Amino acid sequence: MLDDFLTRAALAGVGLTFATGPLGSFVVWRRMAYFGDATAHAAILGVALALGLGVPLYAGTLAVALAMAVLVAWLTGRGQSFDTVLGVIAHAALAFGLVVASFISGLRVDLSAFLFGDILAVSRTDIAVVWGGAAVVLGLLLWRWQGLLTATVNEELAQASGLNPRFERLVLTVALALTVAVAIKIVGALLIAALLIIPAAAARRVARLPETMAAGAVAVGAVSVLAGLWASLQWDTPAGPSIVAAAALIFAALLPVRRA
């Protein structure tokens, strides 16, 4: 079954939604959309460094994504504007990634594949990495679910309940970095944030409970993956953008529904 490239693509895409669905819900609730986008942009520097140093691609992207999150926390703690810091680091990391790649002699990898994704080229190893990474992200979120919800609603209430809001933010940061690392080959750095936000925003239209919204985001993401791959096969369109376009159409279809 895994010899068919379309089956491998579907398995990788659906596996990814088990991470992007619940995590995307927190991104929407906490209004962290720009942070997710910035982390994805910075991952291109991780790709370039991994290729230059000969280390695993996923390790390079994860390391840079985590380093960016730590740097953002440090700079904002010193009084810098959060949005400004994100903008500077995200675009600087993307630019440095492209510059570093130009110095790598004999580079045979097209970095545009990491900007827009190449889900149709995933291997069996990629499937294992995606499902393994999604399991870790889902495990992190389930482990800290109640604490994350409380800190999202009100940080003062979280502190009064004996929780550490900074630790809860760290859990989300690690989960986001890991998701970016495993997703960059599937939908690319420019579309990862869309796969986080759009399914969650669509599920929010019909969900009454946080758990329902997270599960709904997984379902919308999985349907978007399958619909996008079908559209790519039928009309020879790029697979990654087709997946995001399918998610956007589902969101548009749910707009007339009154929010639960």
Side-chain angles (χ1 to χ4, degrees):
M1 180 180 69
L2 295 181
D3 289 336
D4 183 70
F5 74 95
L6 203 58
T7 301
R8 292 197 301 271
L11 286 173
V14 171
L16 181 62
T17 62
F18 284 94
T20 58
L23 182 59
S25 299
F26 280 104
V27 168
V28 170
W29 292 329
R30 285 176 168 255
R31 300 180 180 179
M32 293 173 60
Y34 195 21
F35 185 79
D37 205 28
T39 305
H41 279 67
I44 291 296
L45 176 58
V47 171
L49 291 176
L51 294 174
L53 298 175
V55 300
L57 178 68
Y58 297 110
T61 53
L62 178 60
V64 170
L66 287 174
M68 193 215 79
V70 171
L71 183 58
V72 167
W74 181 72
L75 289 175
T76 53
R78 295 176 64 87
Q80 299 293 325
S81 168
F82 184 68
D83 286 346
T84 301
V85 169
L86 282 181
V88 170
I89 293 179
H91 295 97
L94 176 60
F96 275 114
L98 297 175
V99 170
V100 168
S102 69
F103 283 103
I104 301 175
S105 59
L107 181 63
R108 298 180 179 179
V109 178
D110 183 8
L111 283 183
S112 65
F114 299 103
L115 290 173
F116 300 102
D118 192 10
I119 190 173
L120 297 179
V122 296
S123 64
R124 299 185 183 192
T125 302
D126 293 326
I127 294 174
V129 170
V130 167
W131 278 89
V136 172
V137 170
L138 190 58
L140 275 174
L141 296 180
L142 289 175
W143 171 49
R144 299 303 307 165
W145 184 262
Q146 197 56 52
L148 287 168
L149 282 178
T150 304
T152 298
V153 172
N154 191 312
E155 290 196 353
E156 293 181 356
L157 176 62
Q159 287 180 327
S161 302
L163 298 171
N164 185 348
R166 289 187 177 181
F167 178 73
E168 307 303 337
R169 284 197 297 270
L170 177 62
V171 171
L172 280 181
T173 299
V174 171
L176 184 59
L178 184 57
T179 301
V180 168
V182 300
I184 193 168
K185 189 172 182 180
I186 295 178
V187 292
L190 300 183
L191 297 176
I192 289 174
L195 200 58
L196 282 166
I197 297 166
I198 298 176
R204 194 178 192 180
R205 306 296 305 178
V206 295
R208 291 182 178 272
L209 298 173
E211 294 80 6
T212 308
M213 177 173 162
V218 173
V220 171
V223 171
S224 301
V225 166
L226 298 177
L229 290 175
W230 177 84
S232 177
L233 182 65
Q234 291 294 315
W235 298 306
D236 195 26
T237 56
S242 297
I243 291 171
V244 175
L249 289 175
I250 294 174
F251 173 76
L254 292 175
L255 279 177
V257 178
R258 180 178 296 182
R259 277 183 58 177

